[in-house]
Amino acid sequence: MARNSTVWSPAELHRQLDAGSRFTILDVRNRDEFEVWRIEGKSPIRSYNMPYYELLDLEDENEEVAAAVVRAAPGRLAGKLPRAGPILAVCAQGDTSTHVAEGLRRLGYQAFNLKGGMVAWGNHYEIRVVEESARFSLLQVSRPARGCLSYVLGSDGEAMVVDAARHIGIYTGLAKERGWRIRNVLDTHLQADHLSGGASLAKKLGVDYWLHPYDSIHPEDLLPATYAFRYLADGMTFTVGKVSLRALHLPGHTLGMINPLVDGRFLLSGDTLFINSIGRPDLGGRAKTWTPLAYRSLQRLLALPDSTIVLPAHFSHMHEADELGCYRASLGTVREHNEGLRMLGKGLPAFSAYILGSLPAHPPAYDDIRRINTGLMQVDEAKASELELGPNRCALSQHRTERRLAA
């Protein structure tokens, strides 16, 4: 635990979640915010939501918040919080929860505050090594709160970034630390669930930004991207130091979906294939038309060797990570456990029925996110954070157990 401290940083929270530690969360955000997005881990976490305005009935504007917690909590939280074990107080930005945690400690609870709140948790990144050899390094950059994954390939002083998130400092910092020069930036597709940092990272560094031309047009507005980019095409090969990367065009989730194959062994599967699910084909508003494309693309993907390591652009749950905290699996393993892939063997009609019968609601924010990702719309940091609230919803999750698509 975070000894000699009353605060958990987002990194400490991730460590606790990754270890499967037992603790309780008291989330004092509004109920609608809690329902849309909450902290999840490898193991089920006991979370209790009580909006601060229900918990804190200040006697006057000068009353200390912690004192108000001491006065109100015994009655309003009776039986809700365990006396033994850590309690993590959580709010939007880590301000109100600081006083809530202090009040709980005065009542004898082992209470901590999440530094920076859910905003900081949403912007936290973890880095895991996929491959580290004399020839090249392949790093997975995860954003745990959102389930987003990006990659940095480095070799012989050069690097390529794939599916960069909007906080581009994580990539420039990694490159500086490793002594790499980022020479190319690539997006596997037009992202809908989060704001891409690809174009801005390439512009900042003065390097090429690569995207398939089909994904440079907003699918609803039918307007082209406003930024410069280089055209990705099926079979195109890149050299990064001593290693090569080949672009596979696998439409379905989007028309321009590209899956880079690194060194013939590591498939950056974008939103085509996830560890436990497959990409939803409806976000462009053409599910019936794009489902057959996804069917053919997945068949092509399954022609790769079973030893190919699948590295997706998203994960749905932390328990999908391996023992080193990396979200990866061999294609052979994915083939065995992924329900969407098993449905391929039943033919296109059954596959289409499975897909079209499993589609969740279209998240309204995704349309604006794609407008931003094509340069058609500009937003400030506050709006960017608001649009990215909640987990991703771009993939088809397991049909029987979750009935939802993951992005």
Side-chain angles (χ1 to χ4, degrees), residues 250 267 272-273 295-306 308 310 331-332 334-336 338 340-345:
L250 298 172
L267 181 73
T272 301
L273 177 63
Y295 179 79
R296 289 193 290 270
S297 291
L298 288 168
Q299 287 183 316
R300 181 185 177 193
L301 188 153
L302 287 180
L304 295 171
D306 277 354
T308 303
V310 175
L331 183 56
V334 174
R335 188 197 302 267
E336 290 179 7
N338 189 301
L341 292 186
R342 291 199 300 269
M343 292 300 297
L344 286 177

Side-chain angles (χ1 to χ4, degrees), residues 130 265-268 305-311 328-331:
V130 176
R265 297 185 291 139
F266 300 94
L267 181 73
L268 308 188
D306 277 354
S307 59
T308 303
I309 301 300
V310 175
L311 295 164
R328 61 184 165 187
S330 70
L331 183 56

Side-chain angles (χ1 to χ4, degrees), residues 20-316:
S21 300
R22 291 183 173 276
F23 61 96
T24 300
I25 293 175
L26 174 60
D27 193 317
V28 297
R29 292 177 299 152
N30 294 343
R31 296 196 187 282
D32 58 343
E33 296 172 327
F34 178 76
E35 289 302 320
V36 168
W37 185 33
R38 65 187 73 181
I39 295 170
E40 300 178 9
K42 280 186 175 180
S43 305
I45 300 171
R46 182 176 179 179
S47 296
Y48 184 69
N49 175 228
M50 176 170 282
Y52 72 93
Y53 56 81
E54 294 181 15
L55 175 63
L56 304 177
D57 184 14
L58 299 178
E59 292 183 335
D60 62 65
E61 62 181 15
N62 297 317
E63 183 180 16
E64 182 190 25
V65 175
V69 172
V70 172
R71 177 169 51 80
R76 297 182 182 179
L77 294 175
K80 306 295 185 183
L81 302 179
R83 276 292 176 179
I87 295 171
L88 182 65
V90 175
C91 68
Q93 298 185 0
D95 298 324
T96 302
S97 55
T98 299
H99 304 292
V100 171
E102 171 61 26
L104 292 177
R105 285 192 296 272
R106 293 181 190 180
L107 290 169
Y109 291 96
Q110 185 187 357
F112 301 88
N113 176 52
L114 177 60
K115 184 178 181 180
M118 291 297 285
V119 171
W121 174 234
N123 294 338
H124 176 66
Y125 290 82
E126 293 280 333
I127 300 166
R128 295 291 184 267
V129 175
V130 176
E131 175 82 351
E132 191 82 81
S133 69
R135 291 178 56 240
F136 71 95
S137 299
L138 181 57
L139 307 179
Q140 183 180 77
V141 181
S142 74
R143 195 174 173 189
R146 302 219 69 256
C148 297
L149 301 168
S150 54
Y151 297 89
V152 182
L153 171 65
S155 175
D156 203 22
E158 298 182 353
M160 171 182 277
V161 178
V162 178
D163 285 336
R166 68 184 173 93
H167 303 102
I168 62 176
I170 190 74
Y171 308 101
T172 56
L174 260 178
K176 182 177 180 179
E177 177 185 311
R178 291 265 182 157
W180 295 334
R181 180 186 174 190
I182 297 173
R183 300 183 66 90
N184 290 283
V185 179
L186 182 153
D187 264 339
T188 58
H189 63 293
L190 177 61
Q191 307 282 354
D193 71 298
H194 68 277
L195 302 184
S196 169
S200 58
L201 176 61
K203 182 178 180 180
K204 177 181 177 64
L205 298 175
V207 301
D208 288 333
Y209 171 57
W210 296 86
L211 182 71
H212 193 284
Y214 287 175
D215 275 12
S216 68
I217 298 174
H218 192 281
E220 283 80 29
D221 301 345
L222 299 180
L223 294 174
T226 62
Y227 47 71
F229 69 98
R230 299 286 301 278
Y231 280 26
L232 272 172
D234 187 40
M236 183 175 287
T237 300
F238 296 83
T239 299
V240 181
K242 297 183 175 71
V243 68
S244 65
L245 179 153
R246 182 162 61 96
L248 305 179
H249 180 214
L250 298 172
H253 178 69
T254 67
L255 287 181
M257 173 66 69
I258 290 288
N259 286 185
L261 184 62
V262 178
D263 200 37
R265 297 185 291 139
F266 300 94
L267 181 73
L268 308 188
S269 60
D271 284 15
T272 301
L273 177 63
F274 307 100
I275 303 300
N276 291 318
S277 55
I278 58 178
R280 59 189 290 180
D282 66 307
L283 292 179
R286 297 168 180 83
K288 289 184 179 180
T289 304
W290 290 8
T291 293
L293 297 177
Y295 179 79
R296 289 193 290 270
S297 291
L298 288 168
Q299 287 183 316
R300 181 185 177 193
L301 188 153
L302 287 180
L304 295 171
D306 277 354
S307 59
T308 303
I309 301 300
V310 175
L311 295 164
H314 295 99
F315 65 91
S316 296

